[in-house]
Amino acid sequence: MKFWWVSQNKTYKDEREHGYLWAPKKNATGQSPYHWTNICDVKAGDLIFSYYRQHIVSLSIAKTSPYDAPIPREWENVHVWTNDGWKVDVEYSDINSPPHIKDFNTNIDEFLPDIYSPLTVEGTGVQGYLFVLPEVAGEFLLDLLNWEKAFSQSDSKSGAVGTDKSSLTKTRVGQSLFRKRQKKYWNELCAVTGANTLELLRASHTIPWALSSPEDRVNVYNGFLLSPAYDAAFDAHLISFNDDGSLVPSPLITPSELKALGLDPKARLSKIELSHLPFLKKHRMKTIK
C-alpha cells in the first residue's frame, strides 16, 4: 500500500462528486509531467490525501488501478487538457475538521522527499497534481488527522447519518496504524530473523483482521513484523510460535520443506510478552490441529 497526495484546487469538487482521479497523458507540447504519470503507479487499496484550498479535506482509498479514460465530460469545455488520460476510481471520505497547511507544514517537512515533494521549501503547495508520499509522511498525516474521529458521519449526497461510506478507508487506515505499531515495537526488524529491509517486512496479524474486534485489529500484541517467508507461512498456519517464542511447525509441513522455503525449524521470536500469548494460543490451535 502506498500513500498519495493529490492537489485538486481546480478539480476537487468534480472528482469528489463523481468519485475519481483523472490525469491527462500529455500536455500541449506533447510531454508527460511526472505528477500526471504518477497516476499509473496507483494501486487499488492505496490511501490518498486530498489537498484543496490549503487544507487536507479528504482521506480516500483507490478502488481500482488506473485505466485509460477520456477527459471527464464535466471538464470538456472548462479545462484546456488533451482528451486522452488515465482514471482511477476513488472512494472519498471527508474530514470533519480539515487541517490547514500552516498547521503541519513545518513538522511534515522532515518526512518529505528532497525532489518531487508536494510542498515547496517555504511550505506551500507545489504546482502539480499527484505526488507519492513516503510511508513516514503518510503516517504523520494520519496522526495529524486523528483518524479514528476524523471521518464525517454523513453522506454528502443523501445527508443520511450513520452511513458506512468510509468503511474501506477506515480499514486501510487501521491496517496502516497496525503496521506502524509493529514497526515501532520491533524496532523495524523482523521479529524472527532480525532482517532490517523494512520495505519487505510485513505486519502479520495473529488473529486475522476480519475475525478480530476493533480494538484487537490494531493491537500490537495481535501480530508480528515478519520477513516475507515467515509472514506467508504464519498467515497460512504452516507455522506458529510457542509461549517461549520457539517455532511450531504444522503437521502438514516437514523440517526439510521448511528449510526449502527459507524457514529455520529452530527459529524463535526475538522477544515475547504475556500479552502475545492469548492470541498465539488461538493461532496454534489452528496450526497444529
Side-chain angles (χ1 to χ4, degrees):
M1 182 189 73
K2 286 185 177 180
F3 293 102
W4 299 91
W5 171 299
V6 60
S7 296
Q8 297 169 287
N9 280 341
K10 295 181 179 180
T11 62
Y12 177 73
K13 290 184 178 180
D14 288 328
E15 290 181 302
R16 170 67 183 85
E17 175 70 17
H18 299 285
Y20 64 83
L21 299 180
W22 185 87
K25 291 186 177 181
K26 295 183 183 297
N27 60 20
T29 62
Q31 297 175 318
S32 300
Y34 76 91
H35 58 87
W36 286 350
T37 59
N38 274 345
I39 198 172
C40 297
D41 294 326
V42 175
K43 299 289 189 298
D46 286 356
L47 285 174
I48 304 157
F49 297 92
S50 288
Y51 180 66
Y52 174 64
R53 292 186 175 178
Q54 298 187 308
H55 291 78
I56 300 292
V57 294
S58 296
L59 172 56
S60 309
I61 187 170
K63 297 171 65 177
T64 68
S65 293
Y67 56 92
D68 293 336
I71 188 170
R73 183 176 302 176
E74 54 270 23
W75 295 354
E76 288 178 349
N77 300 314
V78 179
H79 300 297
V80 186
W81 290 320
T82 58
N83 183 62
D84 198 18
W86 297 286
K87 190 176 185 179
V88 171
D89 296 338
V90 174
E91 180 183 279
Y92 282 84
S93 298
D94 300 329
I95 302 301
N96 283 327
S97 300
H100 191 280
I101 192 172
K102 291 181 180 179
D103 297 334
F104 61 87
N105 60 351
T106 56
N107 294 321
I108 196 176
D109 182 65
E110 64 178 299
F111 304 127
L112 294 176
D114 294 330
I115 59 173
Y116 303 141
S117 169
L119 300 179
T120 67
V121 293
E122 292 81 17
T124 58
V126 168
Q127 290 295 315
Y129 183 60
L130 187 63
F131 305 83
V132 64
L133 288 175
E135 187 174 21
V136 289
E139 291 172 347
F140 169 87
L141 288 175
L142 291 180
D143 285 340
L144 175 77
L145 294 174
N146 190 11
W147 71 273
E148 291 172 301
K149 299 179 181 179
F151 298 106
S152 173
Q153 294 300 307
S154 64
D155 186 307
S156 61
K157 294 181 182 179
S158 68
V161 176
T163 62
D164 197 31
K165 186 171 178 59
S166 61
S167 60
L168 288 177
T169 307
K170 288 181 179 180
T171 296
R172 280 299 183 186
V173 172
Q175 290 169 342
S176 179
L177 176 60
F178 178 72
R179 174 172 168 77
K180 179 182 179 180
R181 290 177 175 176
Q182 290 296 330
K183 288 194 303 178
K184 182 178 181 181
Y185 181 86
W186 295 101
N187 296 315
E188 300 188 354
L189 301 173
C190 172
V192 176
T193 67
N196 62 358
T197 306
L198 190 58
E199 294 80 2
L200 296 179
L201 300 184
R202 303 287 182 263
S204 187
H205 277 88
T206 305
I207 305 303
W209 175 278
L211 301 179
S212 295
S213 67
E215 295 79 12
D216 286 341
R217 286 173 175 173
V218 293
N219 186 337
V220 72
Y221 296 107
N222 182 24
F224 305 95
L225 192 65
L226 298 171
S227 51
Y230 284 92
D231 167 63
F234 187 71
D235 187 60
H237 288 274
L238 293 177
I239 63 170
S240 189
F241 298 99
N242 282 312
D243 288 354
D244 64 358
S246 59
L247 186 142
V248 179
S250 164
L252 301 177
I253 191 166
T254 65
S256 60
E257 288 175 311
L258 285 174
K259 290 181 179 179
L261 292 171
L263 306 172
D264 182 358
K266 296 182 179 180
R268 63 189 311 118
L269 296 167
S270 59
K271 63 179 177 180
I272 190 168
E273 296 188 47
L274 289 175
S275 296
H276 287 113
L277 304 189
F279 299 107
L280 278 175
K281 181 179 180 180
K282 294 180 181 179
H283 189 273
R284 278 198 309 273
M285 290 175 63
K286 190 171 181 180
T287 301
I288 62 177
K289 68 176 182 179

